[in-house]
mmCIF file of all heavy atoms in Angstrom:
data_model
loop_
_atom_site.group_PDB
_atom_site.id
_atom_site.type_symbol
_atom_site.label_atom_id
_atom_site.label_comp_id
_atom_site.label_asym_id
_atom_site.label_seq_id
_atom_site.Cartn_x
_atom_site.Cartn_y
_atom_site.Cartn_z
ATOM 1 N N ILE A 248 93.848 90.749 82.872
ATOM 2 C CA ILE A 248 93.170 92.029 83.054
ATOM 3 C C ILE A 248 93.058 92.771 81.747
ATOM 4 O O ILE A 248 91.993 93.356 81.433
ATOM 5 C CB ILE A 248 93.906 92.860 84.126
ATOM 6 C CG1 ILE A 248 93.607 92.275 85.517
ATOM 7 C CG2 ILE A 248 93.482 94.320 84.057
ATOM 8 C CD1 ILE A 248 94.265 93.034 86.648
ATOM 9 N N ARG A 249 94.077 92.755 80.937
ATOM 10 C CA ARG A 249 94.045 93.461 79.651
ATOM 11 C C ARG A 249 93.029 92.814 78.708
ATOM 12 O O ARG A 249 92.402 93.491 77.890
ATOM 13 C CB ARG A 249 95.446 93.478 79.025
ATOM 14 C CG ARG A 249 96.425 94.328 79.793
ATOM 15 C CD ARG A 249 97.774 94.364 79.107
ATOM 16 N NE ARG A 249 97.693 95.109 77.833
ATOM 17 C CZ ARG A 249 98.614 95.042 76.897
ATOM 18 N NH1 ARG A 249 99.681 94.258 77.040
ATOM 19 N NH2 ARG A 249 98.492 95.742 75.790
ATOM 20 N N THR A 252 89.637 94.208 79.789
ATOM 21 C CA THR A 252 89.403 95.595 79.370
ATOM 22 C C THR A 252 89.163 95.695 77.856
ATOM 23 O O THR A 252 88.618 96.692 77.385
ATOM 24 C CB THR A 252 90.622 96.486 79.713
ATOM 25 O OG1 THR A 252 91.755 96.067 78.950
ATOM 26 C CG2 THR A 252 90.918 96.448 81.199
ATOM 27 N N MET A 278 84.067 101.637 82.825
ATOM 28 C CA MET A 278 85.222 100.830 83.274
ATOM 29 C C MET A 278 86.382 101.705 83.679
ATOM 30 O O MET A 278 86.716 102.686 83.017
ATOM 31 C CB MET A 278 85.635 99.893 82.138
ATOM 32 C CG MET A 278 86.595 98.814 82.532
ATOM 33 S SD MET A 278 86.953 97.671 81.150
ATOM 34 C CE MET A 278 85.402 96.751 81.091
ATOM 35 N N GLY A 279 86.988 101.394 84.816
ATOM 36 C CA GLY A 279 88.194 102.048 85.272
ATOM 37 C C GLY A 279 89.331 101.059 85.247
ATOM 38 O O GLY A 279 89.176 99.917 85.695
ATOM 39 N N PHE A 280 90.483 101.496 84.722
ATOM 40 C CA PHE A 280 91.606 100.597 84.570
ATOM 41 C C PHE A 280 92.866 101.273 85.062
ATOM 42 O O PHE A 280 93.201 102.394 84.648
ATOM 43 C CB PHE A 280 91.767 100.185 83.116
ATOM 44 C CG PHE A 280 93.025 99.425 82.788
ATOM 45 C CD1 PHE A 280 93.409 98.325 83.553
ATOM 46 C CD2 PHE A 280 93.843 99.815 81.752
ATOM 47 C CE1 PHE A 280 94.578 97.629 83.269
ATOM 48 C CE2 PHE A 280 95.003 99.131 81.463
ATOM 49 C CZ PHE A 280 95.377 98.033 82.216
ATOM 50 N N MET A 281 93.569 100.609 85.952
ATOM 51 C CA MET A 281 94.866 101.087 86.411
ATOM 52 C C MET A 281 95.924 100.070 86.005
ATOM 53 O O MET A 281 95.987 98.965 86.541
ATOM 54 C CB MET A 281 94.889 101.244 87.935
ATOM 55 C CG MET A 281 96.212 101.723 88.458
ATOM 56 S SD MET A 281 96.225 101.814 90.264
ATOM 57 C CE MET A 281 97.973 102.182 90.547
ATOM 58 N N PRO A 282 96.791 100.435 85.045
ATOM 59 C CA PRO A 282 97.843 99.515 84.599
ATOM 60 C C PRO A 282 98.993 99.480 85.566
ATOM 61 O O PRO A 282 99.097 100.313 86.477
ATOM 62 C CB PRO A 282 98.275 100.108 83.255
ATOM 63 C CG PRO A 282 98.041 101.582 83.413
ATOM 64 C CD PRO A 282 96.813 101.699 84.300
ATOM 65 N N GLN A 283 99.892 98.518 85.396
ATOM 66 C CA GLN A 283 101.107 98.455 86.228
ATOM 67 C C GLN A 283 101.985 99.670 86.002
ATOM 68 O O GLN A 283 102.477 100.269 86.931
ATOM 69 C CB GLN A 283 101.907 97.186 85.887
ATOM 70 C CG GLN A 283 101.499 95.964 86.676
ATOM 71 C CD GLN A 283 102.483 94.833 86.495
ATOM 72 O OE1 GLN A 283 103.572 94.999 85.951
ATOM 73 N NE2 GLN A 283 102.088 93.657 86.935
ATOM 74 N N TYR A 304 85.807 110.791 80.035
ATOM 75 C CA TYR A 304 84.617 110.073 80.497
ATOM 76 C C TYR A 304 83.394 110.989 80.515
ATOM 77 O O TYR A 304 82.425 110.742 81.244
ATOM 78 C CB TYR A 304 84.864 109.508 81.890
ATOM 79 C CG TYR A 304 85.908 108.408 81.912
ATOM 80 C CD1 TYR A 304 87.156 108.628 82.497
ATOM 81 C CD2 TYR A 304 85.660 107.183 81.333
ATOM 82 C CE1 TYR A 304 88.124 107.628 82.509
ATOM 83 C CE2 TYR A 304 86.614 106.162 81.344
ATOM 84 C CZ TYR A 304 87.845 106.411 81.917
ATOM 85 O OH TYR A 304 88.791 105.405 81.923
ATOM 86 N N SER A 344 97.813 107.552 89.081
ATOM 87 C CA SER A 344 97.252 106.596 88.153
ATOM 88 C C SER A 344 95.962 105.977 88.716
ATOM 89 O O SER A 344 94.985 105.774 87.994
ATOM 90 C CB SER A 344 98.247 105.483 87.836
ATOM 91 O OG SER A 344 99.368 105.978 87.124
ATOM 92 N N ALA A 347 93.154 108.515 88.518
ATOM 93 C CA ALA A 347 92.593 108.603 87.165
ATOM 94 C C ALA A 347 91.586 107.474 86.905
ATOM 95 O O ALA A 347 90.564 107.679 86.272
ATOM 96 C CB ALA A 347 93.702 108.538 86.128
ATOM 97 N N ALA A 348 91.875 106.289 87.469
ATOM 98 C CA ALA A 348 90.961 105.165 87.309
ATOM 99 C C ALA A 348 89.676 105.325 88.103
ATOM 100 O O ALA A 348 88.621 104.795 87.737
ATOM 101 C CB ALA A 348 91.656 103.864 87.707
ATOM 102 N N HIS A 351 85.764 108.677 87.553
ATOM 103 C CA HIS A 351 84.356 108.635 87.064
ATOM 104 C C HIS A 351 83.493 107.618 87.809
ATOM 105 O O HIS A 351 82.414 107.283 87.347
ATOM 106 C CB HIS A 351 84.340 108.353 85.562
ATOM 107 C CG HIS A 351 85.040 107.065 85.180
ATOM 108 N ND1 HIS A 351 86.359 106.798 85.480
ATOM 109 C CD2 HIS A 351 84.575 105.965 84.525
ATOM 110 C CE1 HIS A 351 86.661 105.603 85.011
ATOM 111 N NE2 HIS A 351 85.609 105.080 84.457
ATOM 112 N N PHE A 355 82.967 99.028 86.852
ATOM 113 C CA PHE A 355 83.912 97.937 86.775
ATOM 114 C C PHE A 355 85.306 98.516 86.945
ATOM 115 O O PHE A 355 85.697 99.398 86.175
ATOM 116 C CB PHE A 355 83.794 97.184 85.440
ATOM 117 C CG PHE A 355 82.373 96.889 85.054
ATOM 118 C CD1 PHE A 355 81.703 97.634 84.112
ATOM 119 C CD2 PHE A 355 81.686 95.839 85.685
ATOM 120 C CE1 PHE A 355 80.410 97.386 83.771
ATOM 121 C CE2 PHE A 355 80.379 95.575 85.365
ATOM 122 C CZ PHE A 355 79.723 96.332 84.413
ATOM 123 N N LEU A 356 86.011 98.009 87.923
ATOM 124 C CA LEU A 356 87.337 98.562 88.245
ATOM 125 C C LEU A 356 88.359 97.434 88.158
ATOM 126 O O LEU A 356 88.248 96.422 88.849
ATOM 127 C CB LEU A 356 87.317 99.152 89.645
ATOM 128 C CG LEU A 356 88.513 99.995 90.068
ATOM 129 C CD1 LEU A 356 88.755 101.149 89.119
ATOM 130 C CD2 LEU A 356 88.293 100.537 91.489
ATOM 131 N N LEU A 357 89.344 97.618 87.275
ATOM 132 C CA LEU A 357 90.378 96.610 87.048
ATOM 133 C C LEU A 357 91.737 97.213 87.442
ATOM 134 O O LEU A 357 92.179 98.165 86.816
ATOM 135 C CB LEU A 357 90.363 96.186 85.592
ATOM 136 C CG LEU A 357 89.023 95.616 85.127
ATOM 137 C CD1 LEU A 357 88.903 95.645 83.636
ATOM 138 C CD2 LEU A 357 88.841 94.193 85.635
ATOM 139 N N LEU A 358 92.340 96.651 88.465
ATOM 140 C CA LEU A 358 93.524 97.259 89.083
ATOM 141 C C LEU A 358 94.696 96.281 89.054
ATOM 142 O O LEU A 358 94.619 95.195 89.664
ATOM 143 C CB LEU A 358 93.217 97.641 90.527
ATOM 144 C CG LEU A 358 91.957 98.524 90.711
ATOM 145 C CD1 LEU A 358 91.558 98.582 92.172
ATOM 146 C CD2 LEU A 358 92.209 99.907 90.170
ATOM 147 N N ASP A 359 95.751 96.663 88.372
ATOM 148 C CA ASP A 359 96.924 95.799 88.248
ATOM 149 C C ASP A 359 98.006 96.257 89.229
ATOM 150 O O ASP A 359 98.639 97.290 88.999
ATOM 151 C CB ASP A 359 97.430 95.868 86.791
ATOM 152 C CG ASP A 359 98.332 94.699 86.444
ATOM 153 O OD1 ASP A 359 98.632 93.885 87.340
ATOM 154 O OD2 ASP A 359 98.736 94.607 85.269
#
Side-chain angles (χ1 to χ4, degrees):
I248 285 181
R249 293 182 68 196
T252 66
M278 192 175 286
F280 171 51
M281 180 183 172
Q283 272 191 11
Y304 293 109
S344 293
H351 57 302
F355 313 102
L356 190 57
L357 301 161
L358 307 167
D359 198 356

